[in-house]
Amino acid sequence: MPLSDPGYEKASPDVTSARNSLAAHVRQELERAGIPAALLDMRTPASPPGAEIECDLGADAAGGVFVQWNAGQSLRDAAGESLMKQDFQAPAVKHNGAVGSAMCAAMVGILRSAGFQAVESEDDMRPFTVAVEGWSDPAS
């Protein structure tokens, strides 16, 4: 739901702060593992290749911290063109899905190893996306 939607309710300041902190730690850990990572910026139309971290600040059950893999632009373009033609079985569509699935599993493993509670999202609106539900600082 867009932030401008009158039905949108933002999470409390404490929850918002915790999610932003969690997203920053996720980005830092993925970068430590050698994975390019960026926070989702709704003002930027194109997402760079690599891990894209979304900090959903909604008060509803869909809120939280999520990580999605963005393949390189040429693969995304090829898959997008096939999808526009409704060619859902095109090699580029299948390959893009395989890359997303593999990177989701890899990021779950990396984040769990670093102390995060990370799972593949069960939200069908976020396929091949990691849901990060918390973090235990290994230094504490």
Side-chain angles (χ1 to χ4, degrees):
M1 190 176 300
L3 296 176
S4 60
D5 188 310
Y8 178 82
E9 183 180 344
K10 190 174 179 180
S12 71
D14 288 345
V15 170
T16 297
S17 177
R19 286 183 189 165
N20 283 326
S21 177
L22 181 61
H25 282 101
V26 166
R27 179 180 184 181
Q28 178 183 20
E29 199 55 49
L30 291 173
E31 287 176 342
R32 283 184 62 196
I35 295 174
L39 295 174
L40 175 66
D41 184 349
M42 298 302 261
R43 297 166 296 185
T44 305
S47 300
E52 182 173 71
I53 303 155
E54 175 189 2
C55 191
D56 184 328
L57 300 177
D60 59 1
V65 175
F66 302 93
V67 186
Q68 171 183 299
W69 182 256
N70 292 323
Q73 195 63 52
S74 65
L75 179 56
R76 284 188 282 171
D77 288 347
E81 287 174 25
S82 295
L83 291 173
M84 293 291 283
K85 296 175 187 172
Q86 298 187 358
D87 184 1
F88 305 115
Q89 298 303 313
V93 172
K94 289 181 179 182
H95 184 53
N96 191 51
V99 168
S101 177
M103 291 307 297
C104 179
M107 291 187 297
V108 165
I110 290 165
L111 292 171
R112 283 184 179 170
S113 175
F116 292 88
Q117 291 83 50
V119 296
E120 185 170 348
S121 174
E122 294 182 6
D123 183 345
D124 60 356
M125 298 303 288
R126 288 187 166 110
F128 309 125
T129 300
V130 179
V132 184
E133 299 164 353
W135 179 58
S136 299
D137 186 350
S140 59

XYZ file of all heavy atoms in Angstrom, residues 6-102:
697
model
N -4.680 6.691 2.196
C -5.248 7.062 3.489
C -5.397 5.869 4.442
O -5.466 6.051 5.642
C -6.605 7.669 3.143
C -6.841 7.409 1.712
C -5.563 6.975 1.090
N -5.401 4.642 3.937
C -5.520 3.462 4.782
C -4.189 2.950 5.295
O -4.135 2.011 6.075
N -3.094 3.591 4.885
C -1.762 3.146 5.286
C -1.466 3.629 6.697
O -1.604 4.802 7.016
C -0.705 3.690 4.328
C 0.711 3.309 4.701
C 1.225 2.076 4.346
C 1.525 4.175 5.421
C 2.525 1.719 4.685
C 2.815 3.828 5.759
C 3.313 2.594 5.396
O 4.593 2.246 5.740
N -1.061 2.694 7.540
C -0.670 3.047 8.900
C 0.781 2.661 9.107
O 1.160 1.503 8.927
C -1.554 2.325 9.917
C -1.250 2.700 11.335
C -2.138 1.977 12.348
O -3.174 1.418 11.944
O -1.777 1.965 13.522
N 1.586 3.634 9.465
C 3.006 3.412 9.704
C 3.191 2.785 11.085
O 2.450 3.085 12.022
C 3.761 4.744 9.598
C 5.251 4.613 9.594
C 5.910 5.959 9.328
C 7.404 5.830 9.346
N 8.067 7.109 9.092
N 4.202 1.924 11.193
C 4.525 1.302 12.466
C 4.958 2.371 13.464
O 5.316 3.495 13.091
C 5.633 0.275 12.265
N 4.958 2.008 14.736
C 5.349 2.947 15.794
C 6.803 3.378 15.606
O 7.582 2.691 14.944
C 5.194 2.277 17.153
O 6.199 1.289 17.321
N 7.188 4.497 16.192
C 8.581 4.946 16.085
C 9.590 3.900 16.578
O 10.662 3.759 15.992
C 8.623 6.219 16.937
C 7.218 6.747 16.880
C 6.351 5.514 16.858
N 9.265 3.173 17.636
C 10.180 2.132 18.131
C 10.359 1.018 17.112
O 11.476 0.553 16.875
C 9.677 1.541 19.455
C 9.816 2.493 20.632
O 10.556 3.503 20.499
O 9.193 2.230 21.680
N 9.264 0.577 16.504
C 9.322 -0.490 15.498
C 10.062 0.008 14.260
O 10.910 -0.688 13.697
C 7.906 -1.003 15.149
C 7.931 -1.922 13.941
C 7.291 -1.705 16.352
N 9.765 1.232 13.842
C 10.433 1.827 12.691
C 11.935 1.897 12.912
O 12.728 1.518 12.043
C 9.858 3.236 12.418
O 8.481 3.109 12.079
C 10.589 3.941 11.302
N 12.346 2.354 14.073
C 13.766 2.447 14.400
C 14.424 1.066 14.402
O 15.527 0.896 13.867
C 13.934 3.116 15.769
O 15.289 3.147 16.137
N 13.750 0.085 14.978
C 14.295 -1.276 15.026
C 14.444 -1.858 13.627
O 15.455 -2.497 13.315
C 13.408 -2.167 15.897
N 13.463 -1.633 12.767
C 13.533 -2.152 11.394
C 14.645 -1.477 10.607
O 15.378 -2.133 9.865
C 12.198 -1.979 10.674
C 11.135 -2.953 11.155
C 9.859 -2.795 10.375
N 8.790 -3.582 10.988
C 7.505 -3.418 10.699
N 7.121 -2.526 9.805
N 6.603 -4.174 11.297
N 14.774 -0.167 10.762
C 15.847 0.546 10.059
C 17.218 0.059 10.515
O 18.126 -0.111 9.698
C 15.711 2.057 10.249
C 14.614 2.662 9.388
O 14.372 2.213 8.271
N 13.950 3.673 9.910
N 17.362 -0.174 11.790
C 18.627 -0.687 12.327
C 18.901 -2.091 11.799
O 20.027 -2.406 11.392
C 18.569 -0.693 13.860
O 19.742 -1.237 14.397
N 17.880 -2.936 11.795
C 18.024 -4.299 11.277
C 18.423 -4.266 9.805
O 19.333 -4.982 9.377
C 16.722 -5.078 11.471
C 16.699 -6.521 11.001
C 17.739 -7.356 11.746
C 15.293 -7.111 11.200
N 17.777 -3.415 9.015
C 18.101 -3.298 7.586
C 19.552 -2.868 7.392
O 20.251 -3.391 6.511
C 17.146 -2.319 6.905
N 20.020 -1.929 8.208
C 21.410 -1.477 8.107
C 22.378 -2.612 8.437
O 23.403 -2.778 7.770
C 21.646 -0.287 9.030
N 22.058 -3.406 9.453
C 22.913 -4.544 9.808
C 22.905 -5.612 8.707
O 23.933 -6.217 8.421
C 22.473 -5.152 11.141
C 22.918 -4.363 12.326
N 22.075 -3.513 12.999
C 24.122 -4.284 12.943
C 22.735 -2.953 13.988
N 23.987 -3.395 13.970
N 21.751 -5.837 8.096
C 21.662 -6.797 6.989
C 22.558 -6.333 5.844
O 23.342 -7.122 5.294
C 20.197 -6.959 6.513
C 20.133 -7.663 5.165
C 19.388 -7.707 7.555
N 22.458 -5.072 5.500
C 23.286 -4.536 4.405
C 24.768 -4.715 4.722
O 25.546 -5.178 3.886
C 22.976 -3.062 4.176
C 23.818 -2.455 3.070
C 23.500 -1.007 2.859
N 24.258 -0.500 1.721
C 24.197 0.730 1.304
N 23.402 1.601 1.902
N 24.912 1.121 0.272
N 25.150 -4.362 5.923
C 26.557 -4.474 6.332
C 27.039 -5.921 6.231
O 28.129 -6.178 5.713
C 26.713 -3.952 7.757
C 28.119 -4.073 8.299
C 28.204 -3.609 9.745
O 27.222 -3.530 10.469
N 29.416 -3.292 10.167
N 26.236 -6.854 6.675
C 26.672 -8.255 6.672
C 26.737 -8.822 5.260
O 27.651 -9.589 4.943
C 25.759 -9.105 7.553
C 26.380 -10.401 7.945
C 27.739 -10.245 8.634
O 27.870 -9.437 9.566
O 28.694 -10.949 8.218
N 25.799 -8.458 4.416
C 25.862 -8.932 3.035
C 27.093 -8.358 2.329
O 27.774 -9.071 1.582
C 24.575 -8.581 2.279
C 23.333 -9.348 2.720
C 22.089 -8.801 2.029
C 23.483 -10.840 2.461
N 27.390 -7.102 2.579
C 28.579 -6.499 1.982
C 29.852 -7.152 2.514
O 30.803 -7.360 1.767
C 28.587 -4.988 2.231
C 27.555 -4.264 1.388
C 27.457 -2.775 1.650
O 27.931 -2.301 2.725
O 26.895 -2.071 0.792
N 29.873 -7.517 3.799
C 31.033 -8.228 4.364
C 31.244 -9.559 3.660
O 32.370 -10.036 3.527
C 30.826 -8.485 5.858
C 31.041 -7.277 6.724
C 30.914 -7.604 8.191
N 31.940 -8.585 8.557
C 31.924 -9.304 9.664
N 30.918 -9.178 10.525
N 32.884 -10.153 9.933
N 30.155 -10.165 3.198
C 30.228 -11.442 2.492
C 30.574 -11.256 1.015
O 30.709 -12.234 0.283
C 28.899 -12.193 2.627
N 30.710 -10.012 0.582
C 31.070 -9.743 -0.809
C 29.885 -9.574 -1.737
O 30.047 -9.575 -2.965
N 28.713 -9.418 -1.181
C 27.502 -9.257 -1.986
C 27.156 -7.777 -2.082
O 26.975 -7.117 -1.052
C 26.323 -10.042 -1.360
C 26.623 -11.540 -1.395
C 25.018 -9.722 -2.063
C 25.599 -12.385 -0.687
N 27.062 -7.226 -3.289
C 26.633 -5.831 -3.408
C 25.232 -5.686 -2.812
O 24.349 -6.500 -3.091
C 26.598 -5.572 -4.913
C 27.276 -6.725 -5.552
C 27.264 -7.861 -4.574
N 25.050 -4.694 -1.957
C 23.755 -4.528 -1.287
C 23.391 -3.053 -1.228
O 24.257 -2.194 -1.045
C 23.819 -5.115 0.122
N 22.099 -2.774 -1.385
C 21.607 -1.401 -1.329
C 20.231 -1.399 -0.687
O 19.463 -2.356 -0.834
C 21.524 -0.806 -2.724
N 19.929 -0.318 0.006
C 18.592 -0.144 0.548
C 17.669 0.317 -0.573
O 18.072 1.141 -1.406
C 18.599 0.869 1.683
C 19.387 0.455 2.925
C 19.448 1.610 3.922
C 18.784 -0.774 3.573
N 16.472 -0.219 -0.607
C 15.481 0.168 -1.612
C 15.206 1.652 -1.498
O 14.971 2.176 -0.415
C 14.186 -0.625 -1.397
C 13.004 -0.270 -2.288
C 13.312 -0.613 -3.737
C 11.761 -0.995 -1.818
N 15.249 2.326 -2.625
C 14.961 3.755 -2.689
C 13.817 3.935 -3.681
O 14.010 3.785 -4.886
C 16.204 4.534 -3.139
C 15.990 6.036 -3.121
O 14.836 6.494 -2.958
O 16.983 6.757 -3.272
N 12.650 4.233 -3.167
C 11.444 4.345 -4.001
C 11.554 5.486 -5.010
O 10.818 5.532 -5.972
C 10.207 4.557 -3.124
C 9.948 3.394 -2.191
S 9.731 1.852 -3.053
C 7.973 1.755 -3.048
N 12.520 6.409 -4.800
C 12.671 7.530 -5.717
C 13.506 7.157 -6.932
O 13.552 7.889 -7.904
C 13.305 8.712 -4.993
C 12.439 9.238 -3.848
C 13.231 10.138 -2.973
N 14.290 9.328 -2.364
C 15.129 9.746 -1.454
N 15.080 10.973 -1.039
N 16.048 8.954 -0.936
N 14.209 6.023 -6.851
C 15.080 5.595 -7.939
C 14.354 4.527 -8.746
O 14.022 3.472 -8.199
C 16.403 5.019 -7.384
O 16.983 5.997 -6.529
C 17.356 4.655 -8.489
N 14.099 4.776 -10.025
C 13.307 3.822 -10.806
C 14.012 2.491 -11.066
O 13.370 1.452 -11.092
C 13.045 4.563 -12.117
C 14.067 5.633 -12.187
C 14.478 5.951 -10.784
N 15.320 2.495 -11.237
C 16.031 1.255 -11.548
C 16.812 0.796 -10.325
O 17.471 1.589 -9.655
C 16.980 1.467 -12.719
N 16.714 -0.485 -10.037
C 17.446 -1.061 -8.919
C 18.749 -1.645 -9.437
O 18.757 -2.349 -10.444
C 16.616 -2.157 -8.260
O 15.407 -1.622 -7.785
N 19.850 -1.384 -8.735
C 21.128 -1.939 -9.186
C 21.183 -3.443 -8.966
O 20.458 -3.973 -8.114
C 22.154 -1.218 -8.314
C 21.409 -0.824 -7.089
C 19.989 -0.572 -7.541
N 22.025 -4.147 -9.729
C 22.192 -5.582 -9.500
C 22.715 -5.824 -8.087
O 23.461 -5.010 -7.548
C 23.228 -6.004 -10.534
C 23.247 -4.927 -11.548
C 22.839 -3.675 -10.833
N 22.297 -6.925 -7.503
C 22.735 -7.296 -6.162
C 21.558 -7.409 -5.219
O 20.403 -7.492 -5.637
N 21.869 -7.427 -3.939
C 20.840 -7.543 -2.910
C 20.171 -6.189 -2.706
O 20.832 -5.172 -2.557
C 21.465 -8.021 -1.606
N 18.855 -6.202 -2.713
C 18.083 -4.990 -2.473
C 17.300 -5.198 -1.180
O 16.514 -6.131 -1.069
C 17.128 -4.718 -3.633
C 16.325 -3.451 -3.467
C 15.527 -3.143 -4.703
O 14.544 -3.864 -4.969
O 15.893 -2.197 -5.421
N 17.542 -4.327 -0.219
C 16.939 -4.464 1.105
C 15.773 -3.492 1.216
O 15.936 -2.290 1.038
C 17.990 -4.188 2.198
C 19.170 -5.144 2.015
C 17.366 -4.317 3.587
C 20.463 -4.645 2.578
N 14.621 -4.056 1.513
C 13.416 -3.257 1.681
C 13.062 -3.220 3.161
O 12.969 -4.250 3.813
C 12.243 -3.858 0.900
C 10.936 -3.133 1.134
C 9.722 -3.831 0.544
O 9.865 -4.926 -0.028
O 8.622 -3.273 0.689
N 12.863 -2.026 3.666
C 12.431 -1.840 5.041
C 10.982 -1.354 4.978
O 10.731 -0.169 4.804
C 13.346 -0.829 5.737
S 13.097 -0.755 7.506
N 10.040 -2.295 5.065
C 8.620 -1.970 4.990
C 8.189 -1.485 6.373
O 8.188 -2.255 7.334
C 7.832 -3.211 4.558
C 6.357 -2.942 4.354
O 5.794 -2.076 5.058
O 5.752 -3.625 3.512
N 7.823 -0.216 6.470
C 7.511 0.402 7.756
C 6.028 0.373 8.099
O 5.595 1.047 9.029
C 8.042 1.843 7.781
C 9.555 1.976 7.594
C 9.961 3.443 7.562
C 10.300 1.212 8.669
N 5.263 -0.436 7.372
C 3.838 -0.530 7.652
C 3.547 -1.221 8.969
O 4.315 -2.059 9.436
N 2.425 -0.856 9.574
C 2.016 -1.443 10.848
C 1.309 -2.781 10.652
O 1.023 -3.465 11.627
C 1.104 -0.472 11.594
N 1.064 -3.169 9.411
C 0.354 -4.422 9.160
C 1.308 -5.616 9.169
O 2.515 -5.481 9.347
C -0.398 -4.343 7.826
C 0.505 -4.074 6.645
O 1.735 -3.959 6.821
O -0.015 -3.972 5.520
N 0.751 -6.799 8.978
C 1.534 -8.035 9.021
C 2.560 -8.126 7.894
O 3.511 -8.901 7.979
C 0.591 -9.239 8.965
N 2.399 -7.336 6.841
C 3.337 -7.373 5.717
C 4.584 -6.541 5.986
O 5.531 -6.575 5.206
C 2.650 -6.884 4.441
N 4.622 -5.808 7.077
C 5.771 -4.979 7.396
C 6.964 -5.814 7.827
O 6.824 -6.958 8.245
N 8.155 -5.243 7.705
C 9.365 -5.928 8.130
C 10.534 -5.593 7.231
O 10.494 -4.634 6.463
N 11.579 -6.417 7.334
C 12.781 -6.231 6.534
C 12.890 -7.404 5.564
O 12.812 -8.571 5.984
C 14.034 -6.133 7.428
C 15.296 -6.068 6.589
C 13.933 -4.911 8.341
N 13.065 -7.087 4.295
C 13.094 -8.099 3.244
C 14.285 -7.856 2.326
O 14.658 -6.715 2.088
C 11.794 -8.051 2.425
C 10.569 -8.246 3.274
C 9.894 -7.156 3.803
C 10.120 -9.523 3.576
C 8.784 -7.328 4.608
C 9.004 -9.703 4.378
C 8.334 -8.607 4.904
N 14.843 -8.942 1.809
C 15.972 -8.847 0.890
C 15.626 -9.609 -0.381
O 15.241 -10.770 -0.334
C 17.268 -9.430 1.501
C 18.443 -9.178 0.560
C 17.536 -8.865 2.886
N 15.783 -8.935 -1.506
C 15.513 -9.535 -2.817
C 16.768 -9.434 -3.660
O 17.506 -8.456 -3.566
C 14.381 -8.763 -3.485
C 14.143 -9.141 -4.921
C 13.046 -8.276 -5.521
O 11.924 -8.296 -5.065
N 13.389 -7.522 -6.550
N 17.000 -10.431 -4.503
C 18.140 -10.393 -5.403
C 17.720 -9.774 -6.722
O 16.681 -10.141 -7.304
C 18.698 -11.792 -5.657
C 19.903 -11.738 -6.541
C 19.964 -12.063 -7.867
C 21.201 -11.301 -6.172
N 21.235 -11.834 -8.331
C 22.018 -11.369 -7.311
C 21.760 -10.843 -4.981
C 23.356 -11.009 -7.303
C 23.090 -10.484 -4.971
C 23.880 -10.578 -6.131
N 18.508 -8.831 -7.211
C 18.303 -8.260 -8.536
C 19.412 -8.769 -9.445
O 20.584 -8.464 -9.216
C 18.360 -6.728 -8.491
C 17.192 -6.137 -7.748
O 16.080 -6.625 -7.833
N 17.434 -5.078 -7.016
N 19.032 -9.532 -10.450
C 20.005 -10.004 -11.437
C 20.506 -8.808 -12.246
O 19.997 -7.688 -12.106
C 19.361 -11.036 -12.358
N 21.482 -9.043 -13.082
C 21.993 -7.994 -13.954
C 20.905 -7.456 -14.864
O 19.920 -8.138 -15.170
N 21.089 -6.226 -15.309
C 20.063 -5.552 -16.099
C 19.712 -6.290 -17.385
O 18.548 -6.346 -17.774
C 20.482 -4.111 -16.410
C 19.349 -3.248 -16.909
C 18.254 -3.082 -15.870
O 18.527 -2.712 -14.737
N 17.019 -3.345 -16.252
N 20.694 -6.879 -18.053
C 20.391 -7.551 -19.326
C 19.477 -8.763 -19.105
O 18.571 -9.004 -19.911
C 21.663 -7.953 -20.064
O 22.384 -8.922 -19.325
N 19.681 -9.505 -18.025
C 18.802 -10.646 -17.738
C 17.417 -10.156 -17.342
O 16.405 -10.689 -17.810
C 19.397 -11.537 -16.643
C 18.543 -12.742 -16.238
C 18.203 -13.628 -17.434
C 19.262 -13.547 -15.153
N 17.341 -9.127 -16.522
C 16.034 -8.587 -16.134
C 15.279 -8.055 -17.339
O 14.066 -8.257 -17.462
C 16.194 -7.487 -15.089
C 16.509 -8.047 -13.709
C 16.476 -6.981 -12.662
N 17.698 -6.199 -12.710
C 17.907 -5.084 -12.029
N 16.966 -4.578 -11.271
N 19.059 -4.454 -12.117
N 16.002 -7.383 -18.247
C 15.352 -6.865 -19.451
C 14.815 -7.996 -20.316
O 13.686 -7.933 -20.812
C 16.324 -6.013 -20.275
C 16.625 -4.672 -19.633
O 15.915 -4.272 -18.674
O 17.595 -4.016 -20.083
N 15.622 -9.034 -20.511
C 15.194 -10.166 -21.340
C 13.987 -10.864 -20.725
O 13.017 -11.200 -21.427
C 16.351 -11.156 -21.528
N 14.015 -11.065 -19.416
C 12.880 -11.707 -18.748
C 11.646 -10.819 -18.830
O 10.541 -11.301 -19.110
C 13.233 -12.008 -17.292
N 11.825 -9.524 -18.626
C 10.707 -8.592 -18.702
C 10.068 -8.550 -20.077
O 8.840 -8.525 -20.199
N 10.894 -8.567 -21.128
C 10.364 -8.580 -22.493
C 9.540 -9.843 -22.739
O 8.466 -9.780 -23.349
C 11.504 -8.491 -23.501
C 12.144 -7.120 -23.583
C 13.368 -7.088 -24.481
O 13.480 -7.942 -25.390
O 14.222 -6.199 -24.268
N 10.038 -10.970 -22.274
C 9.296 -12.229 -22.447
C 7.989 -12.202 -21.674
O 6.952 -12.664 -22.182
C 10.151 -13.409 -21.990
O 11.282 -13.550 -22.824
N 8.017 -11.667 -20.477
C 6.793 -11.593 -19.682
C 5.772 -10.662 -20.324
O 4.568 -10.959 -20.301
C 7.110 -11.140 -18.259
C 7.875 -12.147 -17.408
C 8.292 -11.518 -16.080
C 7.055 -13.407 -17.175
N 6.228 -9.565 -20.926
C 5.314 -8.650 -21.610
C 4.616 -9.346 -22.778
O 3.476 -9.029 -23.107
C 6.054 -7.412 -22.108
C 6.569 -6.523 -20.980
S 5.259 -5.705 -20.087
C 4.867 -4.415 -21.241
N 5.322 -10.303 -23.377
C 4.745 -11.088 -24.480
C 3.972 -12.294 -23.962
O 3.514 -13.113 -24.754
C 5.863 -11.567 -25.405
C 6.604 -10.455 -26.091
C 7.764 -11.021 -26.900
C 8.633 -9.918 -27.465
N 9.852 -10.444 -28.098
N 3.860 -12.407 -22.651
C 3.206 -13.528 -21.972
C 3.859 -14.865 -22.308
O 3.208 -15.903 -22.314
C 1.704 -13.535 -22.257
C 1.020 -12.287 -21.735
C -0.483 -12.332 -21.854
O -1.071 -13.284 -22.372
N -1.130 -11.301 -21.367
N 5.159 -14.837 -22.546
C 5.935 -16.049 -22.794
C 6.580 -16.460 -21.465
O 7.753 -16.227 -21.231
C 6.999 -15.798 -23.863
C 7.766 -17.054 -24.227
O 7.472 -18.140 -23.663
O 8.681 -16.963 -25.076
N 5.767 -17.074 -20.615
C 6.188 -17.404 -19.258
C 7.188 -18.555 -19.200
O 7.802 -18.776 -18.166
C 4.967 -17.716 -18.393
C 3.954 -16.603 -18.407
C 2.697 -16.802 -18.957
C 4.261 -15.348 -17.898
C 1.759 -15.771 -18.983
C 3.337 -14.313 -17.931
C 2.080 -14.528 -18.470
N 7.356 -19.273 -20.283
C 8.301 -20.388 -20.321
C 9.596 -20.041 -21.053
O 10.424 -20.911 -21.305
C 7.640 -21.614 -20.993
C 6.408 -22.130 -20.246
C 6.734 -22.489 -18.795
O 7.717 -23.156 -18.515
N 5.895 -22.039 -17.876
N 9.789 -18.781 -21.373
C 10.992 -18.347 -22.081
C 12.236 -18.656 -21.240
O 12.201 -18.601 -20.009
C 10.928 -16.851 -22.371
N 13.337 -19.011 -21.900
C 14.577 -19.310 -21.169
C 15.005 -18.181 -20.220
O 15.456 -18.456 -19.108
C 15.606 -19.520 -22.278
C 14.795 -19.987 -23.453
C 13.489 -19.244 -23.346
N 14.855 -16.926 -20.627
C 15.261 -15.809 -19.766
C 14.401 -15.739 -18.506
O 14.903 -15.438 -17.422
C 15.194 -14.492 -20.524
N 13.117 -16.042 -18.629
C 12.216 -16.032 -17.472
C 12.613 -17.157 -16.515
O 12.742 -16.939 -15.299
C 10.740 -16.180 -17.906
C 9.822 -16.367 -16.707
C 10.306 -14.980 -18.743
N 12.840 -18.336 -17.056
C 13.241 -19.471 -16.216
C 14.589 -19.203 -15.548
O 14.762 -19.477 -14.354
C 13.303 -20.746 -17.046
C 11.947 -21.250 -17.467
C 12.094 -22.534 -18.270
C 10.757 -23.079 -18.680
N 10.882 -24.351 -19.416
N 15.537 -18.675 -16.312
C 16.862 -18.423 -15.758
C 16.806 -17.338 -14.677
O 17.426 -17.474 -13.618
C 17.842 -18.030 -16.871
C 19.241 -17.840 -16.397
N 19.925 -18.787 -15.662
C 20.086 -16.797 -16.535
C 21.132 -18.331 -15.373
N 21.257 -17.120 -15.893
N 16.060 -16.279 -14.920
C 15.913 -15.219 -13.926
C 15.318 -15.784 -12.635
O 15.778 -15.455 -11.537
C 15.061 -14.076 -14.479
C 15.102 -12.853 -13.594
O 16.169 -12.382 -13.220
N 13.930 -12.337 -13.262
N 14.331 -16.648 -12.757
C 13.733 -17.287 -11.581
C 14.724 -18.189 -10.860
O 14.786 -18.210 -9.626
N 15.512 -18.943 -11.622
C 16.512 -19.828 -11.021
C 17.574 -19.024 -10.281
O 18.007 -19.408 -9.182
C 17.155 -20.707 -12.093
N 18.002 -17.917 -10.871
C 18.993 -17.060 -10.221
C 18.411 -16.489 -8.924
O 19.055 -16.515 -7.871
C 19.451 -15.925 -11.168
C 20.246 -14.869 -10.419
C 20.252 -16.488 -12.326
N 17.179 -16.006 -8.975
C 16.527 -15.454 -7.784
C 16.393 -16.484 -6.680
O 16.661 -16.201 -5.507
N 16.015 -17.701 -7.056
C 15.864 -18.777 -6.073
C 17.198 -19.152 -5.438
O 17.309 -19.293 -4.217
C 15.240 -20.001 -6.755
O 15.139 -21.069 -5.846
N 18.232 -19.288 -6.260
C 19.559 -19.663 -5.755
C 20.120 -18.574 -4.841
O 20.686 -18.875 -3.772
C 20.512 -19.928 -6.920
